[in-house]
Amino acid sequence: MAEASGRAGPSLRYFCTAGRGLEPFLLREVRARLGATQVEYVSGKVFFTTNSELSKLKTLKSGERLFLLLKKHAPISLSSNKGKVFHEIQKLVIEDPRCWLDIVSKWKHLHGNKVKQGNISKENPKSLKRKSEEEISIITKKQKREQILETVSDECHMEEQKKTVVLETNNDMDLLSENKTFPEETSESRIEKSVESNKDSFSFRVSCRCSGTIAKVFTSQEVGRVLGITLIKQLGWKADLRNPDLELFVHLNDIYSVVGIPIFRLPLATREYIQTAGLRSTVAWAMASLAEISAGAFVLDPMCGLGTILLEAAKEWPNVHYLGADINDSQLQGAHENIKSAGLMDKIELLKASVIALPLPSESVDIVISDIPFGKKFKITKDIKLLPNILREMERVLHVGGTVVLLVSQDLHKHIGGCISNCVESDTSLNATSDNKNGAAVVKDLNPKEKNGSPRSISSSIQGVETEHFNNKITCFGSLAVVESYGVSLGKTDAFIYKYRKIPAAGMQ
Amino acid sequence: MKLLTHNMLTSHVRGVRPGGGFPLRIQATEVKVNNVDFNQEFVARMIPKVEWGALLEAAESLGHLSDLPHQLPPEYENNEDFLRKVHHVLLEVEVMEGILKCPDSGREFPITKGIPNMLLSEEEET
């Protein structure tokens, strides 16, 4: 582990959650951006070590929530004796209380020892996040599904959110039976309290999640309660459900027992520079990261909507000419507002144009990135017939060797499979199989989930199994050859990121 | 609409001869000049992608030709003076209101609040 240098802090261990399908991107990113070491992916979390400063950590683009690792243990051993299990949970605190205090002081140090109010991340009051992960402002909740990502309400400063916190925590008052007086305290006294408090007195809130076997026996609420009480007794901390100094996040499942402290109040996906979000920023960034954007490139999003993809790309790769096109005035207006508030007016230009009739010469664009809107909010209708025209026009304007990165809904994905194999049939100069079944099979293999059914083993997609499939069968649309593909979750729906490259048309047309 | 973008646009009206839709003639009623940070590498990389004649023509029609040469100077990549002039014309001059006219068909595409409307009606589409 690197020694603490003048500017970077001490090496600390973190874990970061990621939306399903984005794990390989996050793994790549922590290494590339933070020089992270000891990087590992276990059951929905990427664990890593780095000495990066807070401001650098904040620039992670493909992760959901970042936590300072407090404890990572083998799973709690279950026995029929409930008391025994509670004891196991208590042991998390009791066996090494110094570890807790130690990590807390590291967390404070990371945040420059400032009071929690208004120091960590600026909130954008106008942001309307597309609700792709369930955001629950609750302390504990019984989990039924493994993959729900929980975001504890961070917007305590905002009026509406405050009400939500109070409402939902009313039920949980018995969680901390010994401390019923807290809700009455105002935020001013909260600050005073934190300022006055020494290292030993600290206010906290536990957010607990149980999944797997343990969830069948205990509620997250019960676990949270046990832990809360143990912390109060052992460390003299105080509980505060509304505006604690510290949040603790506990996740118990069949694979591990993890405790962490969230680094930021808002999810990483909430970008300060995006006013009105369209596509989830993490997915948009991931798409841009696949597109091979280099300095001096000309990048087009011919169905740009609110411009999220272009915004993410322009922030990361600024020395590039970006052009967004859309047929809808209100979308263009929204994109314009977004671009303006992000300060990217010099980088991104807009155009009112149709994706099936682009006012651009052939082979004039280096990169096309787009979120194809069909089949997400609405059922696919006749629009699907336009798909070949859309792909054809994208292909036309693209330079040979250029890349196309598309986000395609699950419904549309099935149709694309059809498109691709259809074109393969008529294409004799390419060494490809021509029956529908093969085309569909290739596409299907891309999503490892369909192989094992249950929680995907991530290792196969990390190693880029998808790419292997395409070596043998060139799956093409015209001269667009699929390079790789990733199944991702958009929260309520699933989608696929496709990457194509325009290959030289060998003696055709 | 900056001139860098204008340099990429072509008319795609049905019946236009190949290449006849470029470059679009600009009739500007409102032009804005912005201050954009100069990035030498970016400008140097843009130059080979740009249709030089069309850029000069467009700049001149807006009265921002300044003293851009008709021919690209040799080894322009290191000629900061030249690159700064190109930077100004490509990125700092912006047409906010006006019309883009197809040189072949005469079809007019309006520019409103800096955004050109290139939508064609069904009859016009190729």
Side-chain angles (χ1 to χ4, degrees):
Chain A
M1 276 200 260
E3 287 303 310
S5 64
R7 275 204 264 145
S11 276
L12 298 175
R13 193 140 179 85
Y14 300 87
F15 64 93
C16 192
T17 55
R20 187 184 69 78
L22 292 180
E23 305 90 348
F25 294 94
L26 184 57
L27 283 163
R28 267 198 288 264
E29 200 191 351
V30 297
R31 289 189 175 107
R33 200 188 291 281
L34 307 176
T37 54
Q38 302 176 310
V39 180
E40 56 171 349
Y41 172 82
V42 188
S43 186
K45 297 176 178 58
V46 172
F47 294 85
F48 62 93
T49 305
T50 180
N51 59 1
S52 295
E53 291 182 303
L54 204 68
S55 51
K56 200 93 184 279
L57 293 172
K58 190 142 204 270
T59 63
L60 279 176
K61 296 290 168 92
S62 52
E64 283 294 323
R65 296 209 73 197
L66 182 64
F67 301 85
L68 190 62
L69 181 68
L70 205 154
K71 261 204 191 299
K72 180 166 171 263
H73 269 195
I76 302 271
S77 49
L78 292 174
S79 64
S80 49
N81 187 341
K82 227 176 175 179
K84 249 187 175 174
V85 183
F86 278 137
H87 184 68
E88 284 289 309
I89 296 170
Q90 283 176 317
K91 254 172 65 178
L92 282 172
V93 181
I94 297 172
E95 68 180 355
D96 190 7
R98 246 183 339 146
C99 162
W100 288 73
L101 296 171
D102 187 45
I103 294 288
V104 168
S105 75
K106 282 184 172 143
W107 182 90
K108 275 165 131 177
H109 185 75
L110 195 64
H111 286 287
N113 284 318
K114 286 184 211 146
V115 182
K116 62 183 180 290
Q117 291 278 350
N119 63 334
I120 300 158
S121 56
K122 294 189 200 91
E123 288 156 10
N124 190 340
K126 289 191 220 158
S127 78
L128 311 161
K129 296 191 290 275
R130 173 150 139 177
K131 232 179 170 197
S132 68
E133 312 295 346
E134 282 181 62
E135 292 185 308
I136 320 164
S137 66
I138 233 194
I139 309 300
T140 59
K141 212 169 191 172
K142 183 163 188 176
Q143 300 300 316
K144 282 170 193 160
R145 278 159 47 209
E146 175 98 32
Q147 299 284 348
I148 296 173
L149 288 172
E150 183 179 59
T151 315
V152 176
S153 166
D154 314 284
E155 287 130 319
C156 296
H157 309 315
M158 292 160 77
E159 282 311 307
E160 323 86 83
Q161 289 296 332
K162 230 179 186 150
K163 288 188 195 131
T164 323
V165 172
V166 171
L167 278 170
E168 289 172 336
T169 56
N170 272 339
N171 307 332
D172 296 333
M173 276 321 293
D174 60 323
L175 185 82
L176 304 145
S177 46
E178 298 166 355
N179 303 287
K180 285 194 173 135
T181 56
F182 291 92
E184 269 73 65
E185 298 190 44
T186 61
S187 46
E188 280 84 25
S189 64
R190 177 83 23 248
I191 299 171
E192 272 176 52
K193 196 167 178 161
S194 332
V195 167
E196 286 172 21
S197 66
N198 52 25
K199 261 194 295 193
D200 297 339
S201 176
F202 213 73
S203 75
F204 73 98
R205 175 170 67 190
V206 176
S207 165
C208 196
R209 193 161 106 222
C210 295
S211 45
T213 331
I214 195 169
K216 297 177 183 151
V217 189
F218 299 105
T219 63
S220 308
Q221 219 170 349
E222 287 176 293
V223 176
R225 179 177 21 214
V226 172
L227 259 169
I229 293 175
T230 315
L231 286 166
I232 292 167
K233 284 188 170 151
Q234 289 293 318
L235 303 175
W237 291 358
K238 295 181 168 42
D240 181 359
L241 301 177
R242 266 207 219 163
N243 206 10
D245 290 321
L246 200 76
E247 301 227 36
L248 293 165
F249 170 84
V250 180
H251 187 184
L252 306 177
N253 62 16
D254 294 330
I255 304 187
Y256 48 40
S257 309
V258 169
V259 184
I261 307 176
I263 303 286
F264 302 110
R265 290 205 163 248
L266 293 174
L268 292 166
T270 309
R271 312 288 203 227
E272 284 164 11
Y273 49 85
I274 295 187
Q275 194 175 285
T276 312
L279 178 63
R280 191 155 184 90
S281 56
T282 47
V283 177
W285 184 88
M287 290 173 70
S289 74
L290 284 175
E292 299 173 17
I293 302 173
S294 56
F298 179 26
V299 177
L300 171 71
D301 183 348
M303 291 178 287
C304 67
L306 295 170
T308 313
I309 298 174
L310 294 171
L311 288 166
E312 287 295 317
K315 270 285 176 180
E316 191 76 56
W317 297 275
N319 296 320
V320 170
H321 180 50
Y322 293 98
L323 186 62
D326 206 286
I327 49 172
N328 182 306
D329 272 329
S330 68
Q331 294 283 291
L332 281 171
Q333 181 63 27
H336 176 77
E337 299 288 333
N338 270 340
I339 293 168
K340 197 166 162 192
S341 71
L344 291 170
M345 309 239 356
D346 295 333
K347 308 276 176 214
I348 307 175
E349 287 242 89
L350 294 174
L351 195 64
K352 186 165 176 184
S354 164
V355 64
I356 53 173
L358 291 170
L360 298 164
S362 301
E363 306 209 5
S364 57
V365 171
D366 296 312
I367 289 162
V368 173
I369 319 181
S370 205
D371 168 13
I372 301 191
F374 312 141
K376 294 210 181 102
K377 287 190 178 160
F378 312 101
K379 270 283 177 205
I380 294 188
T381 54
K382 54 175 171 55
D383 292 331
I384 192 65
K385 296 199 190 117
L386 292 174
L387 193 60
N389 298 358
I390 293 174
L391 289 173
R392 210 164 280 133
E393 190 67 345
M394 287 179 175
E395 185 197 352
R396 179 184 73 79
V397 300
L398 199 64
H399 278 136
V400 170
T403 56
V404 180
V405 179
L406 299 176
L407 185 70
V408 158
S409 74
Q410 197 157 41
D411 278 343
L412 206 61
H413 155 74
K414 292 179 201 150
H415 289 270
I416 275 197
C419 273
I420 290 173
S421 52
N422 282 339
C423 292
V424 164
E425 273 173 23
S426 55
D427 216 334
T428 49
S429 66
L430 295 163
N431 199 11
T433 52
S434 59
D435 63 293
N436 244 348
K437 214 168 65 164
N438 257 334
V442 170
V443 170
K444 196 177 163 132
D445 279 342
L446 296 173
N447 191 355
K449 185 175 183 177
E450 297 181 60
K451 272 191 190 147
N452 357 342
S454 58
R456 298 163 60 226
S457 60
I458 194 62
S459 50
S460 58
S461 59
I462 290 174
Q463 280 146 33
V465 160
E466 294 90 347
T467 331
E468 287 177 37
H469 288 298
F470 297 116
N471 284 337
N472 308 326
K473 316 165 200 207
I474 298 175
T475 321
C476 276
F477 175 87
S479 62
L480 291 179
V482 183
V483 175
E484 51 189 336
S485 136
Y486 296 83
V488 294
S489 164
L490 297 178
K492 295 202 168 95
T493 58
D494 283 339
F496 291 87
I497 300 176
Y498 273 91
K499 174 176 172 179
Y500 301 82
R501 192 182 311 280
K502 183 166 176 177
I503 56 178
M508 290 191 308
Q509 296 189 336
Chain B
M1 182 201 69
K2 296 177 198 255
L3 292 186
L4 176 55
T5 298
H6 164 261
N7 202 269
M8 311 276 176
L9 293 177
T10 179
S11 160
H12 48 318
V13 175
R14 194 209 308 255
V16 168
R17 295 166 293 143
F22 179 89
L24 293 159
R25 310 267 179 260
I26 311 178
Q27 288 165 9
T29 52
E30 189 191 321
V31 178
K32 203 167 75 152
V33 179
N34 306 303
N35 253 334
V36 175
D37 288 340
F38 173 67
N39 184 307
Q40 184 153 340
E41 194 204 349
F42 178 71
V43 180
R45 281 181 191 269
M46 284 293 115
I47 289 175
K49 299 187 174 201
V50 153
E51 232 298 318
W52 189 250
L55 179 65
L56 290 179
E57 200 184 303
E60 189 168 20
S61 73
L62 297 179
H64 279 267
L65 186 59
S66 51
D67 41 359
L68 278 177
H70 281 265
Q71 301 270 347
L72 283 175
E75 291 183 26
Y76 59 77
E77 302 93 355
N78 301 312
N79 187 336
E80 192 184 311
D81 207 46
F82 169 73
L83 290 175
R84 280 190 180 269
K85 289 184 189 146
V86 178
H87 164 84
H88 173 74
V89 156
L90 277 181
L91 301 172
E92 293 188 327
V93 178
E94 198 174 350
V95 180
M96 299 306 292
E97 303 284 330
I99 284 168
L100 292 171
K101 195 160 174 166
C102 170
D104 207 29
S105 66
R107 201 319 190 157
E108 292 181 348
F109 301 94
I111 304 174
T112 320
K113 294 188 200 165
I115 300 178
N117 179 352
M118 309 296 297
L119 285 180
L120 296 172
S121 64
E122 275 195 38
E123 306 91 57
E124 291 173 307
E125 276 176 26
T126 38

